[in-house]
Amino acid sequence: MTAAVFFGCAFIAFGPAFSLFIFTIAKDPLRVIILIAGAFFWLVSLLLSSLVWFIATKATNAQDLTLQKNLLIFGSIFSVILQEVFRFAYYRLLRKANEGLAAISEEDGPPLSVREMAYVAGLGFGIMSGAFSMINTLSDSLGPGTVGMFGDSQYYFITSALMTLALTMLHTFWGVVFFEGCERKRWWVIAVVLCVHLMVFSLSLLNPFYVASILPVYAIMLLMAVWAFFSSGGSLHNITLLWTCKTRLKPI
């Protein structure tokens, strides 16, 4: 049973991201480099924010549980802000390195556009964020023990996997929207991305009331997906053409 929970939650949490990596990134070495670098930038932001939280906890009274909880919330908010700061820093780095990236890309292929880099960088942020969110939970799912024995929710693992999936996709969509806002110098877009990121974090504080957190987070994810679609050049006309092509290919 524990193996079924482990593989089921792992596939839910990382299946879509793994599919995106295989079908859209793995064949292009340049995209792989950008994804790994994006994951590294997220990792550095987590390291710095955790360092700030660690210093704050050591400098205060460890027996004061209310204070420690507030420090954890402060550390999480600081981590969200720092992640968006590093997203902007990564955007600036990619823009400056654009000519070098074009030089090392395939000779017959065009260099990556900003929209492509935004998607790949966002997915890198999302994969690393999901890995750190879910790795300990997956380890615990292997046992020993059963969730719910002492009144805890039996849906902890599945909701953790669903939340990890949402965060991974949200980071991808945030990356697309964020980079587009930077390109067009629409700073309000960057502010909206930061506020939505903070909102998603705030909703996670409602756990273990999972319905109250999962449903709004997935609603936000769908809205961000639509925004990212149009920011990346999509339109209703594209959807119409796609549907028309599928209709024409149907057997008579």
Side-chain angles (χ1 to χ4, degrees), residues 132-154:
F132 268 81
S133 299
M134 197 63 188
I135 192 68
N136 288 333
T137 303
L138 288 177
S139 177
D140 291 337
S141 69
L142 290 173
T146 303
V147 175
M149 289 292 290
F150 298 99
D152 296 324
S153 174
Q154 297 181 358

Side-chain angles (χ1 to χ4, degrees), residues 43-54 78 82 86:
L43 190 61
V44 173
S45 71
L46 179 66
L47 176 63
L48 293 178
S49 58
S50 62
L51 181 62
V52 171
W53 172 79
F54 178 78
F78 181 76
L82 202 59
F86 270 77

Side-chain angles (χ1 to χ4, degrees), residues 2 29 31 35 88 102 151 164 211 216 244:
T2 56
R31 292 185 181 184
L35 181 136
F88 179 75
T164 300
V211 175
T244 303

Side-chain angles (χ1 to χ4, degrees), residues 23-208:
F23 292 110
T24 65
I25 296 176
K27 295 181 180 179
D28 190 335
L30 185 56
R31 292 185 181 184
V32 174
I33 293 172
I34 294 176
L35 181 136
I36 294 174
F40 174 75
F41 266 68
W42 187 92
L43 190 61
V44 173
S45 71
L46 179 66
L47 176 63
L48 293 178
S49 58
S50 62
L51 181 62
V52 171
W53 172 79
F54 178 78
I55 294 173
T57 55
K58 291 301 180 180
T60 55
N61 183 13
Q63 304 301 321
D64 190 343
L65 298 181
T66 301
L67 176 61
Q68 295 302 317
K69 181 179 179 180
N70 291 333
L71 286 176
L72 181 60
I73 295 174
F74 162 76
S76 300
I77 294 175
F78 181 76
S79 176
V80 169
I81 296 173
L82 202 59
Q83 287 175 42
E84 298 307 325
V85 170
F86 270 77
R87 197 191 304 274
F88 179 75
Y90 191 42
Y91 161 78
R92 296 293 298 172
L93 177 64
L94 288 176
R95 289 298 292 160
K96 289 183 179 295
N98 195 26
E99 295 182 1
L101 291 173
I104 65 174
S105 62
E106 296 182 1
E107 295 180 0
D108 297 331
L112 292 181
S113 66
V114 174
R115 289 171 177 172
E116 289 177 302
M117 291 189 294
Y119 159 70
V120 177
L123 186 59
F125 269 62
I127 290 175
M128 187 57 69
S129 173
F132 268 81
S133 299
M134 197 63 188
I135 192 68
N136 288 333
T137 303
L138 288 177
S139 177
D140 291 337
S141 69
L142 290 173
T146 303
V147 175
M149 289 292 290
F150 298 99
D152 296 324
S153 174
Q154 297 181 358
Y155 304 106
Y156 171 72
F157 290 121
I158 185 66
T159 51
S160 297
L162 291 172
M163 185 65 78
T164 300
L165 167 61
L167 285 175
T168 303
M169 293 296 100
L170 277 170
H171 270 290
T172 306
F173 303 144
W174 287 333
V176 173
V177 174
F178 192 98
F179 277 40
E180 185 70 13
C182 292
E183 278 292 291
R184 299 180 180 270
K185 299 188 184 304
R186 294 176 178 173
W187 308 120
W188 63 269
V189 173
I190 298 174
V192 170
V193 171
L194 175 60
C195 291
V196 172
H197 198 164
L198 289 171
M199 185 185 303
V200 171
F201 159 72
S202 301
L203 289 171
S204 68
L205 297 177
L206 297 176
N207 293 331

